[in-house]
Amino acid sequence: MAAFEHALILLLAIAGLSVVSGLLPVPRPIVYVLGGIGLAFVPGFPAITLDPAFFFLCFLPPLLFSDGWLMPLREFRQARRSILILATGLVILTTVVVAAVAHALVPALPWPMAFALGAVVSPTDAVAVDAITERLSVPTRLTIILKGESLMNDATGLVAFKFALAALAVGTFSLRSALGQFTLVSLGGLGAGLVVGWGVGRLRDLLAWANRSDALIEVTLSLLTPYAAYLAGESVHVSGILAAVSAGLYSGWRDPVRMTPSTRQLAWSVWSTVLFWLNGIAFVLLGLQFPKLLAAVGGAYSWPQLIGYSLVISGAAMALRILWFFPGAYLPFLLSRRVRETETAPSWRAIFVGGWAGIRGAVTLAAALSIPLMLPDGRPFPGRSLVIFLSFGVIAATLLIQGTTLETLIQRLGLHADGTMEREEHQARTAAVQAGLNVLRAIAPTLKAPEHTAALGHVVAEYEQRLAELVEEGTVQANAHERRESERRFRLAALAAERETVDHLWQRREITDEVHRPLQHLLDHEETMLRGTAALAGD
């Protein structure tokens, strides 16, 4: 009962703090943490004790799965070199350098925990960057690289984090053995996630084939998939983290064309709500733990020391990212003739913005809070409180320094969209309207009743107007019972043709996920509105 009450209190807290954050010029996660700290000092407020293993299981699989689900695969493949350079080279460099800096600052911090800190702060937060870049005109390739990097460095950073904790628990570490095991558990995790994603997909197909498909059942299966993938990976001793990622990638490829419109809309709403809860609860929980955390580290370190350590480590992580971005972007053009002939080198402005967009967020926080309380022999986990405190310091510094200046930096440097998404969107909308119009014209010879012919003429005229306006760059918009019903049927047929055309363009990789998803949402909304209007009218 206490756990249920705590969950309700946390949800109420993030709802209220979200309202407050809208009134303040401060990133929302900072408001959540400060709100959690304030609640911790309220007399009688229940003390919430975290189980690190449960916290990791509860928060990270859905966060990683959703990143994979939203990753545009066509663009990921096109930018895979840049993404993998960041997700491997930069993660390794950040892990090693941050570990060295942390150990130099605090010699008492064991090397495995120093490496754990480096691995924890290496992943960037896609949600935080998206919230800024989606409001601005940013080059499409830069957006894709930042999203893909966030997905992959979440996975590689967390796998490295697990290895660091295992080394501390076992007491020994071999680089050769670790590299071999890293490769094995990584490939095994990717395979396990694909198997689970495929299996859940087949189950949903079977439900649809048996006419038992239900939006609520499908969304429930969707929510359970990341946990199933993670647990399946862990049960066969491979990476559950990468299993959740690969299951998300598979589902993101499958779901857009296999879900019904109503299921897609419900899934989008439910997942948006769940991710809002998870991100908010993670930061509020950190705030609630902060007094205990401060008491644990305050006895050994002074406030100036803690702030200084946090700033030095944050500065190292931010500087490394910027320094890595430039050679990572330009070296392939210097070393490969094929790259020079087939690709256009990015501008220094885009590279600098990519380097500055290194905001840390919920994944870093969830990983830090998942550090076990005890070693296998029952001793307290050494340096746990300090690593959590420094992880929070990096999150806070990147949010306050980079998060509040990224938008201004993009505007000052004059970065703007390259027009790719706009061209593809116009192409998809024109093709979709043309397909709908073709279906409507094919219906005409089959009609006999004059009211049906009149209704069809009305819809055809509207589609012709929309098509004409699209050709010129623009956009658009009955009443007796028979006419309304006929119009509705004709519109549904045309919408089905539009959806099929848009999905076909996406499957042929002629439009991106960023173009496909909003158009699909729009068509789903139109169909839902048509069916809802008919239900209200009793048609």
Side-chain angles (χ1 to χ4, degrees), residues 161-223:
F161 166 71
K162 285 271 193 175
F163 270 89
L165 295 188
L168 185 62
V170 173
T172 59
F173 179 77
S174 164
L175 180 60
R176 176 182 294 181
S177 174
L179 288 175
Q181 194 176 359
F182 180 88
T183 302
L184 179 65
V185 301
S186 297
L187 294 176
L190 292 172
L194 290 175
V195 169
V196 171
W198 181 87
V200 173
R202 298 292 76 76
L203 175 60
R204 289 159 65 178
D205 289 342
L206 181 62
L207 290 172
W209 175 79
N211 292 320
R212 296 182 183 280
S213 182
D214 180 278
L216 292 174
I217 296 175
E218 285 216 49
V219 173
T220 301
L221 289 173
S222 174
L223 289 172

Side-chain angles (χ1 to χ4, degrees), residues 391-407:
S391 299
F392 167 67
V394 174
I395 294 170
T398 55
L399 281 169
L400 290 173
I401 297 172
Q402 295 177 313
T404 57
T405 59
L406 183 58
E407 183 172 348

Side-chain angles (χ1 to χ4, degrees), residues 383-398:
R384 179 181 188 272
S385 297
L386 180 62
V387 168
I388 295 175
F389 186 93
L390 294 177
S391 299
F392 167 67
V394 174
I395 294 170
T398 55

